[in-house]
């Protein structure tokens, strides 16, 4: 496992890690459990991985928790995920504060219930002065939806169309582009996640379901990332 000595020696750690947390349903099915049990177990990994990233000194961790396409799931599963999210945020607040983790949400939050929207903004507000890791949950997030909303903002504010101004109007305006993208569960696709921000991300597709993803596996990925040569179009 990476330790704090590695952390200090190594200037090559990613600043921004993004994760597509996939495979909760399959993890549960393989154990003859309901899909919801996979989501419950997955929520526990969110805490483990967040704590680990914070200990490593990572600055931003963006987790794909609910996509604009996930409304297409059965109503009962969607309702379960909404309740889980609300429960998770309420339970997590003291842990965020204890560990100095700042919470932020990205996505089109207006489609959520008023009570969930309130919990999201209260958690953001209460953790806004935390100076450790920023944990970002992507909620009702779709990259195309985000880009459309950004272009609408540009138009309303009569701003010149430039990369800089588009960056400023995206939900992710407060953080740098993704350095390291991880998708669990073996699927090799982006599923509408951070399409603009992943332009030069190093990508890792892992054959492990999200409920089984551990800090050790994350360390392996970070180890490989540190040895990749990022050229950004140069030589
Ligand atoms: C990811 O796991 C969690 C969400 C998308 C909310 P899945 O629920 O997609 O699990 P699989 O892909 O069906 O196994
Ligand atoms: C992507 O996973 C969304 C989240 C992890 C929240 P999905 O399971 O929804 O993606 P697809 O449908 O397999 O592409
Ligand atoms: Mg999936």
């Amino acid at each position: 496992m990476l330790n704090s000595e590695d952390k200090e020696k190594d200037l090559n750690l990613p600043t921004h890690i993004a994760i597509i947390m996939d495979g909760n349903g399959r993890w549960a099915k393989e154990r003859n459990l309901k899909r919801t049990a996979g989501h419950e177990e997955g929520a526990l990994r969110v805490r483990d991985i967040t704590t680990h990233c914070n200990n490593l000194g990572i600055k931003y961790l963006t987790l794909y928790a609910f996509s604009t396409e996930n409304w297409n799931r059965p109503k009962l599963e969607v309702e379960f995920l909404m309740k889980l999210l609300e429960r998770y945020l309420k339970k997590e607040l003291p842990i965020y504060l204890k560990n100095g983790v700042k919470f932020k949400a990205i996505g089109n939050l207006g489609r959520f219930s008023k009570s969930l929207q309130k919990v999201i903004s209260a958690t953001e507000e209460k953790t806004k002065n935390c100076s450790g890791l920023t944990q970002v949950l992507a909620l009702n997030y779709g990259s195309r939806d985000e880009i459309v909303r950004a272009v609408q903002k540009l138009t309303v504010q009569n701003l010149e169309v430039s990369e800089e101004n588009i960056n400023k109007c995206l939900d992710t305006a407060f953080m740098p582009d993704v350095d390291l993208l991880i998708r669990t569960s073996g699927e090799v696709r982006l599923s509408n996640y951070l399409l603009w921000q992943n332009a030069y991300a190093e990508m890792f597709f892992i054959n492990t379901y999200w409920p089984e993803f551990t800090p050790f596996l994350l360390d392996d990925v970070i180890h490989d990332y540190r040895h990749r040569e990022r050229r950004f179009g140069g030589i």
Side-chain angles (χ1 to χ4, degrees):
M1 188 171 287
L2 288 169
N3 58 34
S4 52
E5 214 180 296
D6 290 328
K7 194 172 75 187
E8 277 158 32
K9 274 197 307 221
D10 179 21
L11 300 173
N12 242 348
L13 282 180
T15 303
H16 183 178
I17 299 179
I19 306 184
I20 302 174
M21 308 183 289
D22 197 17
N24 294 352
R26 281 164 283 168
W27 177 87
K29 197 172 169 215
E30 281 185 5
R31 286 159 182 77
N32 287 320
L33 299 168
K34 290 192 197 149
R35 290 178 57 84
T36 51
H39 297 314
E40 288 280 1
E41 192 66 23
L44 301 176
R45 297 297 89 73
V46 173
R47 179 189 287 177
D48 301 343
I49 296 299
T50 300
T51 305
H52 188 59
C53 285
N54 192 34
N55 291 341
L56 287 176
I58 304 292
K59 284 287 156 214
Y60 299 94
L61 173 67
T62 305
L63 302 168
Y64 207 1
F66 193 86
S67 75
T68 46
E69 288 74 32
N70 286 148
W71 298 104
N72 296 329
R73 295 187 176 203
K75 192 165 166 269
L76 280 178
E77 181 167 343
V78 171
E79 279 173 7
F80 180 86
L81 286 168
M82 297 299 129
K83 287 202 191 109
L84 175 62
L85 186 58
E86 195 163 330
R87 189 152 47 82
Y88 173 82
L89 287 177
K90 284 182 180 159
K91 199 170 77 185
E92 227 47 27
L93 179 62
I95 317 256
Y96 289 135
L97 294 172
K98 181 169 145 267
N99 295 337
V101 171
K102 186 192 291 193
F103 168 79
K104 295 278 281 178
I106 57 169
N108 203 336
L109 305 178
R111 191 164 167 187
F112 292 130
S113 70
K114 288 281 169 285
S115 82
L116 181 53
Q117 288 184 50
K118 255 172 91 175
V119 176
I120 291 169
S121 55
T123 311
E124 286 185 329
E125 179 59 29
K126 287 177 182 152
T127 61
K128 71 172 186 223
N129 294 322
C130 292
S131 58
L133 172 85
T134 300
Q135 183 212 56
V136 185
L137 290 190
L139 303 171
N140 190 25
Y141 177 86
S143 207
R144 290 183 169 188
D145 174 71
E146 181 196 29
I147 291 169
V148 169
R149 287 186 288 105
V151 173
Q152 284 165 348
K153 282 185 216 162
L154 279 184
T155 316
V156 170
Q157 296 173 32
N158 207 10
L159 289 170
E160 182 202 339
V161 179
S162 64
E163 284 197 20
E164 197 192 345
N165 283 339
I166 291 177
N167 266 323
K168 276 189 200 151
C169 292
L170 290 169
D171 297 351
T172 52
F174 59 92
M175 57 181 167
D177 281 349
V178 178
D179 297 302
L180 167 55
L181 174 87
I182 301 168
R183 182 173 188 145
T184 58
S185 91
E187 305 299 347
V188 184
R189 55 177 171 265
L190 288 176
S191 303
N192 203 8
Y193 193 44
L194 301 169
L195 302 180
W196 173 279
Q197 300 86 340
N198 272 314
Y200 265 102
E202 295 295 326
M203 300 190 179
F204 290 79
F205 297 90
I206 312 287
N207 278 320
T208 301
Y209 297 137
W210 174 251
E212 293 179 308
F213 193 68
T214 59
F216 286 102
L217 291 172
L218 178 60
D219 284 347
D220 284 348
V221 173
I222 293 176
H223 176 84
D224 286 359
Y225 167 90
R226 287 160 63 201
H227 294 92
R228 283 200 188 175
E229 191 190 347
R230 301 182 76 191
R231 286 198 284 271
F232 298 99
I235 52 169

